[in-house]
Amino acid sequence: MKRRSFPAGLFGALIALAGLAHQLLGGLPVMVERAKAADSSKAGRAPAMPMARDPAAAVAEEYEAARRKGTREALQLFIARHSDDPLAQQARAEWKRLSR
């Protein structure tokens, strides 16, 4: 037995073990392929993530929550977070009214 055959055999065994979960020549892992196959069979499946909310509606809801709370701190927080929004002007007016 030649001395060089042991490292070559070891290298071949490592390649074989590493390639068990992959397709030949760098394919995707077997589990990914199975998941893709399972997903393709489920037509009309609902999306996993809900649609994004309208940012303007979220800001309006936050303004209403701050206004309902009725404290200067809540309005200051809204103004700090949304200083460039048109509702910030209304929040500033409400804040001034509360400070009197």
Side-chain angles (χ1 to χ4, degrees):
M1 184 165 137
K2 294 182 181 179
R3 271 190 158 205
R4 292 187 181 185
S5 65
F6 178 71
L10 181 61
F11 181 71
L14 289 174
I15 294 296
L17 289 174
L20 286 178
H22 292 79
Q23 294 176 345
L24 290 176
L25 301 175
L28 293 173
V30 172
M31 295 304 292
V32 173
E33 291 296 327
R34 288 181 185 159
K36 283 184 178 180
D39 284 344
S40 66
S41 66
K42 297 177 183 175
R45 197 169 120 184
M49 184 180 284
M51 296 295 292
R53 291 182 53 198
D54 180 24
V59 171
E61 287 176 9
E62 190 174 337
Y63 170 71
E64 286 301 318
R67 192 181 61 76
R68 277 194 312 267
K69 194 167 187 179
T71 64
R72 294 181 68 198
E73 291 80 17
L75 291 168
Q76 284 175 336
L77 179 62
F78 177 81
I79 293 166
R81 292 182 68 185
H82 306 287
S83 61
D84 59 338
D85 194 272
L87 288 175
Q89 293 296 341
Q90 293 178 7
R92 285 184 187 96
E94 185 75 17
W95 182 79
K96 286 180 184 177
R97 188 185 65 76
L98 287 175
S99 64
R100 293 182 189 172

